[in-house]
Amino acid sequence: MTRPVLIRMHAADNVAVVGNDGGLPEGTVVPDGPTLREKLPQAHKVALADIAQGAEVRRYGVVIGRALKPISAGSWVHERLLEMPTARTLSGLPMATVRPPALPPLDGHSFQGYRNADGSVGTRNLLAITTTVQCVAGVLDHALERIRRELLPQYRYVDGVVGLEHSYGCGVAIDAPDAVIPIRTLRHISQNPNFGGEVMVLSLGCEKLQPERLLPPGSMAIGAGLPSQVRLQDERHVGFASMIDSIMSTAEHHLQRLDLRRRETVPASELVVGLQCGGSDAFSGITANPAVGFCSDLLVRAGATVMFSEVTEVRDAVEQLTSRAATPELAQRIIDEMAWYDAYLARGRVDRSANTTPGNKAGGLSNIVEKAMGSIIKSGTAPISGVVSAGERVCTRGLNYAATPASDFICGTLQLAAGMNLHVFTTGRGTPYGLAECPVIKIATRSELARRWHDLMDLDAGPIAEGRASIEDLGWALFRLMLDVASGKRTWAETHGLANSLVLFNPAPVT
Ligand code: CA
């Protein structure tokens, strides 16, 4: 029989997680540990000692719940045995109290990127066609197919063409205060570094989100050309073919300019990395996320920009965030973002516990507190030097907290708006997630998933659980992979052409 592996995250923990592929059978004798009273699936928790009714259950050194009934040593500790702690209030939090020792600079690492006129750097050379309203999506899809077939083969230095389609633009309360979020999200995505400063807008004509409202004068990045526009309701368009011709000739103008761009050697400090997890399990916080956290510190040391996000997945660790903020002002901005989100959830009569999925629970995560502790490890140990509101652009190097929902597509969309040029995504349950706008490196938390999805997962963090690799080894492997992907190496999602839709965060009413 294989050696039983129980993973305990902190000396104060009274539960540990089963590390073995396939779980462990009833009666397993764990050296220096309990004898299992029942069969335990991989990634699920076992009680290391007897836990009395009402007593604290600790993982990561943090209370993840109280026992609803007595739990004997060696028993399975699952969500039906735990009462979830209430959320910490947002008053009296430690403000910028932790001064982590300064990390030594990390020099000498570079990648091959596309330098833009505004100083930003792209990792891909894409033509993006911005849209003002969903009404144009069908026409755009038709044009995109012809651009790919008829135009792209002539422009070998252009990596692809992307339609920035979305459900916003009309039928919405566009003057509601919260409408600023979807509008600035679209504005900033159209200026993502991977699009080379070439902005082409496709509009209908009668929609609420007029092109001038989407991209008002002065909103364009320095050095970018003026946005070009095609408007389907223009009287010069007689019939469908005229619209398609107009889109294609405008696209060709931008393709000619993009085709002149070449990759050049740029320092690793030009990376703008968005970190995210999705389809999490109890291994996320043991293997993949700690490796990402180590890599996040490497990126910060190299002078790069790193974002971690997902409000509901860090809400239960808010004091870790406010204490790690570089200044009391940044700590207050974190609190303001959390308070806004608490109120947003309360309007819908839910709270942060609405986050967890059936898959999370089947993967051993009992509740949002346990999920949050495993999620926040992605952020490493650096001070938080910036806070980015939903749809805003990141403007500070180092570690940033970008406040976004945890929904994979909405988080990815908002990180694109923030200026992300490389995305890192960890998953335990498995998701084929990808974006057309930016490469996504996917990391499996378990080797079983990495083997089964061998042509979907870009990195396997499972060896950490089995003691075959260290967190540092995997963190460095990810760092090197990031430089390769930023230089043009294709991810599995790119190889297969897998891309999810942009999904806007619109907290304002629709009409
Ligand atoms: Ca997510």
Side-chain angles (χ1 to χ4, degrees):
M1 205 188 92
T2 53
R3 181 178 61 93
V5 178
L6 292 188
I7 303 160
R8 188 189 207 176
M9 296 305 287
H10 192 279
D13 292 356
N14 55 3
V15 294
V17 166
V18 173
N20 303 78
D21 263 10
L24 289 173
E26 181 184 344
T28 302
V29 179
V30 181
D32 305 318
T35 300
L36 300 192
R37 291 174 158 269
E38 53 198 310
K39 178 183 188 313
L40 260 100
Q42 187 190 34
H44 281 253
K45 294 179 289 296
V46 61
L48 297 172
D50 291 340
I51 303 172
Q53 185 171 355
E56 293 172 343
V57 174
R58 285 181 172 269
R59 189 175 170 215
Y60 299 106
V62 167
V63 177
I64 59 167
R66 286 180 183 277
L68 287 168
K69 55 186 180 189
I71 303 172
S72 312
S75 300
W76 184 3
V77 181
H78 48 72
E79 80 275 6
R80 292 182 305 283
L81 293 176
L82 293 184
E83 181 190 19
M84 192 174 80
T86 51
R88 195 196 187 300
T89 64
L90 294 175
S91 57
L93 285 161
M95 306 289 272
T97 48
V98 173
R99 282 276 163 278
L103 298 166
L106 182 66
D107 297 322
H109 296 277
S110 59
F111 66 99
Q112 299 295 308
Y114 295 98
R115 180 77 75 179
N116 294 316
D118 68 351
S120 68
V121 170
T123 59
R124 296 292 181 267
N125 187 24
L126 299 168
L127 169 63
I129 302 181
T130 299
T131 63
T132 53
V133 69
Q134 170 65 25
C135 310
V136 304
V139 174
L140 178 57
D141 285 343
H142 184 100
L144 286 172
E145 202 186 314
R146 284 195 51 192
I147 291 169
R148 288 190 185 111
R149 201 173 54 227
E150 297 169 31
L151 297 182
L152 267 184
Q154 303 163 43
Y155 300 99
R156 56 185 287 244
Y157 289 100
V158 180
D159 293 320
V161 55
V162 181
L164 302 179
E165 294 171 6
H166 55 85
S167 60
Y168 200 71
C170 213
V172 291
I174 204 160
D175 292 318
D178 288 337
V180 69
I181 293 177
I183 296 172
R184 72 187 176 203
T185 301
L186 286 172
R187 176 181 306 145
H188 293 148
I189 289 181
S190 72
Q191 300 175 53
N192 183 280
N194 286 350
F195 308 149
E198 298 293 322
V199 180
M200 170 176 167
V201 182
L202 177 62
S203 73
L204 180 63
C206 59
E207 67 272 34
K208 283 184 172 169
L209 183 60
Q210 289 289 305
E212 302 73 39
R213 187 161 187 162
L214 179 63
L215 293 162
S219 70
M220 295 295 291
I222 307 156
L226 283 176
S228 60
Q229 282 186 41
V230 175
R231 207 173 79 131
L232 299 188
Q233 288 172 351
D234 273 356
E235 287 178 7
R236 68 194 171 97
H237 292 312
V238 179
F240 178 62
S242 161
M243 297 173 187
I244 299 297
D245 287 348
S246 179
I247 294 170
M248 289 189 63
S249 63
T250 309
E252 185 146 32
H253 163 76
H254 290 287
L255 286 170
Q256 283 164 359
R257 292 162 54 103
L258 288 168
D259 201 46
L260 301 174
R261 306 174 81 215
R262 297 292 181 273
R263 289 189 183 269
E264 58 185 278
T265 304
V266 295
S269 57
E270 299 299 352
L271 288 175
V272 181
V273 179
L275 308 177
Q276 209 201 148
C277 49
S280 298
D281 67 2
F283 268 31
S284 299
I286 298 171
T287 60
N289 290 354
V292 170
F294 182 86
C295 184
S296 171
D297 284 352
L298 295 178
L299 291 163
V300 172
R301 289 172 57 194
T305 306
V306 186
M307 294 178 275
F308 71 106
S309 296
E310 303 174 287
V311 178
T312 50
E313 291 182 13
V314 298
R315 174 64 178 82
D316 282 285
V318 60
E319 57 203 274
Q320 291 184 37
L321 298 193
T322 54
S323 59
R324 269 170 70 195
T327 65
E329 292 73 28
L330 284 168
Q332 185 58 49
R333 286 204 53 206
I334 292 169
I335 292 170
D336 293 347
E337 293 290 348
M338 300 277 168
W340 186 92
Y341 216 89
D342 281 357
Y344 166 72
L345 292 175
R347 280 208 302 278
R349 299 192 184 184
V350 293
D351 65 17
R352 76 222 195 276
S353 67
N355 174 299
T356 40
T357 65
N360 291 153
K361 289 176 179 170
L365 289 173
S366 293
N367 58 38
I368 186 59
V369 182
E370 185 178 14
K371 188 174 173 181
M373 296 308 143
S375 172
I376 199 169
I377 296 177
K378 289 199 296 294
S379 65
T381 63
I384 298 170
S385 353
V387 176
V388 184
S389 297
E392 290 285 24
R393 255 195 286 222
V394 64
C395 57
T396 315
R397 284 177 190 268
L399 181 66
N400 282 260
Y401 175 59
T404 78
S407 155
D408 297 347
F409 330 103
I410 297 182
C411 174
T413 298
L414 291 170
Q415 289 184 338
L416 282 172
M420 164 172 77
N421 57 21
L422 192 62
H423 202 9
V424 171
F425 190 98
T426 68
T427 183
R429 306 293 297 168
T431 158
Y433 177 77
L435 292 174
E437 296 80 7
C438 169
V440 180
I441 296 174
K442 287 200 294 296
I443 308 173
T445 70
R446 297 174 297 120
S447 294
E448 187 276 328
L449 173 66
R451 280 194 297 271
R452 197 156 37 86
W453 284 25
H454 57 91
D455 52 2
L456 289 163
M457 293 290 138
D458 299 291
L459 193 67
D460 176 16
I464 294 172
E466 295 146 24
R468 289 188 287 113
S470 66
I471 287 168
E472 292 76 10
D473 293 339
L474 260 293
W476 273 107
L478 173 60
F479 184 72
R480 287 188 292 268
L481 178 60
M482 288 172 73
L483 295 174
D484 287 347
V485 170
S487 301
K489 179 187 163 83
R490 284 168 159 241
T491 63
W492 276 120
E494 288 179 300
T495 301
H496 301 309
L498 306 181
N500 288 99
S501 303
L502 295 179
V503 182
L504 291 174
F505 182 39
N506 177 25
V510 295
T511 59

